[in-house]
Amino acid sequence: HRLMYQQQELSPLETTPFTPAELLELQARFESASLSGRRDVLSYEEALSLREFRANPFAPRVFELFSENANDHLTFAGFLAILTAFAQHAPSEVKAAWLFALWDFDGDDLIGADDLRMGLTLITNASSSLLQMPGPKMFGGDRREALADAQLDQVAAQVLRELDPDGLGLGFGTFRRAVLCLPDIKRTFGFRAPYF
């Protein structure tokens, strides 16, 4: 995926807005989530213990986008990238780019009906097998509250009718314009500081 996080040769101090003291606190929190004793990476199950993943319907997708080799393990650099991209003070343009990546499940640079349906499935707690990632604790809601397949299709079709009247799929430009019109994008799509 073109927007997928790639680990760079730069140090975390050069790529994040965090102070050295905050980085040490974040590293300690990251390392304490490891159940395997490895301090450099977290599995998906271990990442679920972090506040940013707990009760987050997009946890599997965030993990996939920011982990090494998509779904393998989350490094500390990947964790910092998540916090940087979704920090309340992150520029709206950055948030729009990562939100587009979150919703573009198939990686074709368009958000279509299938992408919307997958996102809605995550939001409505309708599936525990999405992305073939374990998540019984995260997806443990009451199935009676989940939207039926027909309802998911109806919502996805309505969103596309309103934002994509040509039916070609939402490209980044259209998605970006829609998202940047949201008055609370900085507050709504992000993690609140402090992160500790």
Side-chain angles (χ1 to χ4, degrees):
H1 196 281
R2 188 170 57 205
L3 292 174
M4 191 174 295
Y5 170 76
Q6 298 292 321
Q7 187 172 357
Q8 300 175 354
E9 296 299 318
L10 300 173
S11 76
L13 285 175
E14 296 172 309
T15 60
T16 69
F18 305 110
T19 67
E22 289 171 331
L23 284 170
L24 288 174
E25 288 286 330
L26 288 169
Q27 186 168 13
R29 196 160 65 84
F30 179 86
E31 290 174 359
S32 71
S34 175
L35 301 174
S36 66
R38 289 193 64 184
R39 297 173 50 160
D40 57 336
V41 296
L42 295 178
S43 68
Y44 176 69
E45 293 81 12
E46 291 168 332
L48 283 178
S49 71
L50 297 169
R51 180 180 56 215
E52 292 76 15
F53 285 91
R54 234 177 294 139
N56 181 341
F58 280 93
R61 184 69 177 144
V62 170
F63 187 87
E64 178 185 23
L65 287 173
F66 288 88
S67 67
E68 295 289 315
N69 302 321
N71 298 333
D72 188 19
H73 287 92
L74 182 67
T75 64
F76 180 61
F79 177 59
L80 290 178
I82 292 169
L83 295 178
T84 300
F86 294 106
Q88 282 191 320
H89 61 275
S92 297
E93 293 283 342
V94 170
K95 286 187 182 211
W98 282 109
L99 286 171
F100 183 82
L102 278 175
W103 282 90
D104 183 18
F105 285 89
D106 59 14
D108 66 354
D109 292 328
L110 290 172
I111 296 175
D114 289 341
D115 296 314
L116 285 173
R117 194 172 197 292
M118 289 183 81
L120 291 169
T121 299
L122 283 174
I123 292 169
T124 62
N125 201 21
S127 174
S128 62
S129 62
L130 191 65
L131 299 176
Q132 292 79 45
M133 297 181 114
K137 293 177 186 172
M138 184 181 65
F139 292 108
D142 187 341
R143 287 279 300 164
R144 292 173 296 178
E145 295 175 9
L147 292 177
D149 289 345
Q151 291 171 308
L152 289 170
D153 292 338
Q154 185 178 14
V155 171
Q158 181 63 36
V159 168
L160 287 175
R161 263 193 305 278
E162 289 184 24
L163 295 176
D164 180 34
D166 298 331
L168 302 173
L170 291 174
F172 177 67
T174 304
F175 180 86
R176 181 187 153 280
R177 282 189 296 280
V179 167
L180 293 179
C181 288
L182 299 172
D184 288 342
I185 184 173
K186 286 191 176 254
R187 186 180 58 78
T188 305
F189 298 107
F191 305 122
R192 283 189 216 121
Y195 303 100
F196 321 108

